[in-house]
């Protein structure tokens, strides 16, 4: 596919192969953008601010709703693209494509709810005969940088609110999964978005990133990805807004009165969705000693029933990791944990990019797989006696995106809600539950700011105060 630069679909002599991680087959190629392309994109985006901001609210809404309709009408095509270029099975990919329709629809709706407020200027001496309000205005050029694991919906989570807010956008999708993003870009143009308002630049973040991120014409960098790249971007961005949606290492606490069958069932799904490459995937589960054995047996049995393999096969539950190198990293982390005393209850083996769904217990504090984000299909089980100890262990990592607790006793539920440090606490659901309209984001190393369309829209616009001094009043 070509990339969209300054209103034109262009290719370049140097291209990047997009391969299916299951069998390395070539799906397509995309241009490898150059530094000159970055300069062209920045100039075009800066010039397009006026086009973007002059779109009426009605026009922005219509473009977003039409784009949502195009994705809905072609949902199977979008799902197959997600499933082929990424790690998701076709079933998982269909869910992502469906959620993308929601994200774009919500963006269209929220465009109409972008309100200001009146300001009571006369509420202090000195404000007499003044009236005013604030309204929200676009911030200008937004740079959107997206990861591989939700290659369509996380792009929609940036483009939807950016366009709803009247901004021009440069999108830099993950290099391993650019096709879903390019198809969504096509859908926006088909829906009537002025061609210069959105650009999609394909190429390596490590090569193009600094020039894009540090440019003063960019007024916001909206980044979703790993902690390391996030930290780097933060140091390069300079004086501009940054939105950081980073990784996590999500904990679950299961109290002794919980519905154990449900907790095991939903946490297996939460751990192995997208082969564990999910920023809110379940990584650590703390289970009360009285119900530990039952939970473990149910969890392991369900994990063993998973079918792994070809993502396009309707019967497959879990596909490969995004690259063989990533699968090797997870294999190393498992081996390190075992060396330090962990036990593999099931899984643990790797073939190419496929890592078996893996359940570990007795993982010691200090093992990498305990403290860092694994972003792979492994989960650690721990026993606990005291709820405060479990909450402290759950909070012991430098992440805090989602956390979950399972219990029936309402007081225990409240102790979990109040004790678990995270952007969201899910009660009686796995950590990977998310609604596209809720505020979404984390604390500590999990990021800065919130997405979820309405909340991104606030970040992607700014208040402009209008004050009238009317001496005749
Ligand atoms: P990544 O390696 O950090 O890459 C994310 C994006 O950043 C890619 O487009 C990448 O481009 C680009 N990039 C890398 N280095 C850059 C630089 N120096 N300057 C500018 N851009 C740069 O992350 P990933 O492996 O794609 O995704 C996995 C991570 O994303 C996990 O940590 C996961 O938890 C996190 N994530 C967070 C959320 C959330 O909402 N909180 C959601 C999904 C994923 P290239 O592809 O060219 O390297």
């Amino acid at each position: 596919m070509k990339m969209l630069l300054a209103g034109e679909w262009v290719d370049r002599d140097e291209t990047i192969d997009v391969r299916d991680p299951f069998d390395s087959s070539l799906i397509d190629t995309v241009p490898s953008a150059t530094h000159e392309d970055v300069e062209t994109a920045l100039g075009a985006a800066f010039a397009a601010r006026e086009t973007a901001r002059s779109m009426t609210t009605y026009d922005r809404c219509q473009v977003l709703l039409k784009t949502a309709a195009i994705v809905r009408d072609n949902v199977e095509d979008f799902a197959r693209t997600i499933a082929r270029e990424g790690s998701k099975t076709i079933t998982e990919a269909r869910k992502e494509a469906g959620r993308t329709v929601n994200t774009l629809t919500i963006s269209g709706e929220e465009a109409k709810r972008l309100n200001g407020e009146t300001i009571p200027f006369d509420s202090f001496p000195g404000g007499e005969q003044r009236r005013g309000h604030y309204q929200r205005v676009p911030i200008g050029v937004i740079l959107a940088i997206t990861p591989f694991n939700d290659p369509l919906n996380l792009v929609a989570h940036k483009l939807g609110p950016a366009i709803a807010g009247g901004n021009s956008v440069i999108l830099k999708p993950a290099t391993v999964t650019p096709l879903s993003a390019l198809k969504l870009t096509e859908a926006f143009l088909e829906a009537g978005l002025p061609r210069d308002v959105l650009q999609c630049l394909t190429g390596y973040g490590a090569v193009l990133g600094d020039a894009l991120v540090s440019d003063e014409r960019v007024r916001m960098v909206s980044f979703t990805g790993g902690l390391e790249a996030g930290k780097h971007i933060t140091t390069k961005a300079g004086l501009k807004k940054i939105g950081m949606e980073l990784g996590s290492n999500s904990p679950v606490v299961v109290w002794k009165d919980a519905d154990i069958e449900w907790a095991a069932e939903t946490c297996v799904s939460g751990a192995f969705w997208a082969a564990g490459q999910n920023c809110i995937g379940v990584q650590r589960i703390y289970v009360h000693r009285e119900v530990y054995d039952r939970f473990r047996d149910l969890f392991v049995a369900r994990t063993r029933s998973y079918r792994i393999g070809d993502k396009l096969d309707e019967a497959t539950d879990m596909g490969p990791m995004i690259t063989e190198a990533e699968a090797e990293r997870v294999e190393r982390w498992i081996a390190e944990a075992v060396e330090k005393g962990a036990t593999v209850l099931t899984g643990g083996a790797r073939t190419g990019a496929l890592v078996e769904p893996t359940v570990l217990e007795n993982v010691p504090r200090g093992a990498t797989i305990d403290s860092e984000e694994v972003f792979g299909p492994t989960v650690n089980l721990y026993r606990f006696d005291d709820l405060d100890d479990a909450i402290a262990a759950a909070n012991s990592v430098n992440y805090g995106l989602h956390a979950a607790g399972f219990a029936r006793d309402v007081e225990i539920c409240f102790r979990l809600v109040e004790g678990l440090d995270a952007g969201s606490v899910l009660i009686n659901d796995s950590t990977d539950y998310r609604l596209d309209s809720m505020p979404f984001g984390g604390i500590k190393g999990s990021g800065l700011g919130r997405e979820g369309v309405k909340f991104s829209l606030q970040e992607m616009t700014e208040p402009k105060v209008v004050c009238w001094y009317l001496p005749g009043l």
Side-chain angles (χ1 to χ4, degrees):
M1 289 182 82
K2 296 178 178 179
M3 65 181 179
L4 185 64
L5 178 69
E8 301 297 328
W9 290 102
V10 299
D11 46 27
R12 290 287 170 263
D13 291 341
E14 199 169 320
T15 57
I16 299 170
D17 291 347
V18 184
R19 293 184 179 276
D20 184 329
F22 178 62
D23 56 9
S24 292
S25 58
L26 184 67
I27 307 169
D28 208 335
T29 61
V30 293
S32 180
T34 62
H35 285 288
E36 292 74 52
D37 294 330
V38 167
E39 192 45 44
T40 305
L42 288 164
F46 194 69
R49 286 170 310 145
E50 293 312 320
T51 321
R53 80 160 55 224
S54 63
M55 285 175 75
T56 63
T57 301
Y58 178 77
D59 288 345
R60 295 177 202 168
C61 174
Q62 287 303 106
V63 163
L64 287 157
L65 296 183
K66 277 185 195 158
T67 310
I70 292 167
V71 177
R72 187 188 302 113
D73 292 347
N74 298 279
V75 77
E76 191 60 21
D77 184 35
F78 275 97
R80 284 184 73 82
T81 304
I82 295 168
R84 281 216 69 199
E85 68 174 346
S87 282
K88 286 186 174 169
T89 64
I90 187 67
T91 314
E92 292 170 334
R94 283 186 190 123
K95 188 161 177 196
E96 180 177 344
R99 280 182 55 188
T100 304
V101 175
N102 297 345
T103 303
L104 295 168
T105 305
I106 301 164
S107 299
E109 292 165 351
E110 287 296 337
K112 293 193 170 180
R113 291 196 274 263
L114 190 59
N115 295 323
E117 284 182 338
T118 55
I119 301 170
F121 278 102
D122 61 354
S123 51
F124 286 96
E128 298 83 3
Q129 295 154 318
R130 286 177 178 80
R131 299 286 186 274
H133 71 280
Y134 73 85
Q135 60 203 51
R136 297 204 72 86
V137 296
I139 61 174
V141 177
I142 293 178
L143 171 63
I145 304 178
T146 52
F148 74 84
N149 61 312
D150 289 302
L152 187 67
N153 193 33
L154 291 183
V155 172
H157 264 287
K158 300 201 184 299
L159 302 189
I163 288 163
N167 300 289
S168 73
V169 195
I170 300 174
L171 166 66
K172 209 306 281 172
T175 298
V176 282
T177 55
L179 304 177
S180 305
L182 287 165
K183 274 179 177 281
L184 186 60
T185 303
E186 282 178 347
F188 268 107
L189 295 200
E190 194 186 328
L193 184 73
R195 294 183 75 84
D196 49 348
V197 166
L198 169 62
Q199 301 177 78
C200 183
L201 211 59
T202 52
Y204 299 104
V207 175
L208 309 175
D210 287 0
L212 285 166
V213 164
S214 60
D215 195 277
E216 290 186 356
R217 287 166 288 187
V218 172
R219 297 309 304 142
M220 178 180 187
V221 181
S222 175
F223 174 76
T224 301
L227 179 58
E228 286 316 309
K231 279 182 180 168
H232 178 84
I233 288 168
T234 306
T235 62
K236 294 286 169 188
L239 191 62
K240 55 174 64 83
K241 280 188 164 186
I242 47 174
M244 286 280 147
E245 295 287 335
L246 308 178
S248 199
N249 170 349
S250 298
V252 173
V253 178
V254 182
W255 185 244
K256 58 190 170 189
D257 70 350
D259 179 340
I260 300 299
E261 280 79 13
W262 165 243
E265 178 189 330
T266 190
C267 285
V268 168
S269 164
F272 303 124
W273 184 265
Q277 298 157 115
N278 177 3
C279 57
I280 47 178
V282 175
Q283 186 170 336
R284 293 169 294 136
I285 309 180
Y286 299 89
V287 186
H288 193 279
R289 185 175 297 279
E290 286 179 24
V291 290
Y292 181 87
D293 288 354
R294 195 159 135 245
F295 180 90
R296 179 189 55 195
D297 293 349
L298 285 166
F299 196 93
V300 168
R302 196 167 182 86
T303 301
R304 286 197 178 128
S305 74
Y306 259 48
R307 290 179 60 161
I308 62 172
D310 183 357
K311 294 169 291 171
L312 296 179
D313 184 336
E314 302 279 343
T316 300
D317 295 304
M318 198 189 89
M321 293 194 63
I322 193 67
T323 58
E324 192 164 343
E326 273 295 280
E328 285 168 354
R329 175 187 59 77
V330 170
E331 189 180 34
R332 279 196 306 277
W333 286 22
I334 296 170
E336 184 223 34
V338 169
E339 211 170 279
K340 290 182 169 164
T343 313
V344 177
L345 295 172
T346 186
R350 179 187 69 81
T351 313
L354 280 167
V355 175
E356 288 177 354
T358 302
V359 186
L360 301 165
E361 67 176 358
N362 304 320
V363 177
R365 277 284 178 86
T368 311
I369 215 163
D370 172 69
S371 55
E372 300 302 325
E373 177 185 39
V374 66
F375 219 60
T378 77
V379 62
N380 309 336
L381 306 185
Y382 310 79
R383 286 180 190 80
F384 74 86
D385 295 299
D386 180 76
L387 186 62
D388 289 336
D389 291 344
I391 290 173
N395 291 340
S396 66
V397 299
N398 182 33
Y399 290 105
L401 189 52
H402 276 198
F406 287 81
R408 287 195 167 98
D409 181 327
V410 172
E411 285 184 21
I412 297 292
C413 292
F414 268 88
R415 281 174 64 189
L416 289 163
V417 166
E418 286 171 20
L420 290 169
D421 290 336
S424 301
V425 176
L426 292 300
I427 297 295
N428 294 325
D429 256 318
S430 144
T431 54
D432 84 327
Y433 184 82
R434 177 186 179 184
L435 187 72
D436 290 292
S437 55
M438 72 187 215
F440 181 76
I443 60 171
K444 300 191 272 187
S446 290
L448 280 177
R450 292 292 182 270
E451 288 199 345
V453 178
K454 174 179 164 186
F455 305 90
S456 308
L457 193 48
Q458 293 292 310
E459 308 267 355
M460 292 176 170
T461 54
E462 52 201 358
K464 181 177 197 175
V465 172
V466 181
C467 176
W468 299 75
Y469 174 47
L470 300 167
L473 283 179

